[in-house]
Amino acid sequence: HVFPNPGDGIFRLALPMGFGGVGQLEVLDVTGRSVARRVLRGESGLGVDCNLGYLPAGRYVLLVSYGNNRAYAPVSIVH
């Protein structure tokens, strides 16, 4: 889960069970092109703050990977 959504680029990612330790966040634009990446550190069931406010307004997909676990979440950035 990602909130607030839509938002100004400051999001909180709620990590599902099985998503803990060190992982990766990749941000994809509507064409599927990777526009940002960062390392995530967090624990299952807790949230991780993510600042994407530097990206242009628009729709994106967040790909969160922890080991073999992957989750996708659509987000909208409005300025």
Side-chain angles (χ1 to χ4, degrees), residues 6-68:
D8 62 2
I10 309 296
F11 297 104
R12 184 136 179 101
L13 308 174
L15 300 177
M17 298 308 288
F19 285 70
V22 178
Q24 179 173 298
L25 169 69
E26 186 170 7
V27 183
L28 308 174
D29 67 11
V30 294
T31 68
R33 183 175 57 106
S34 179
V35 295
R37 286 181 195 222
R38 69 170 270 209
V39 173
L40 291 178
R41 289 179 175 81
E43 298 299 323
S44 294
L46 298 178
V48 174
D49 293 324
C50 182
N51 183 350
L52 302 176
Y54 59 90
L55 292 173
R59 298 187 67 156
Y60 297 90
V61 173
L62 305 183
L63 168 58
V64 179
S65 303
Y66 279 89
N68 292 329

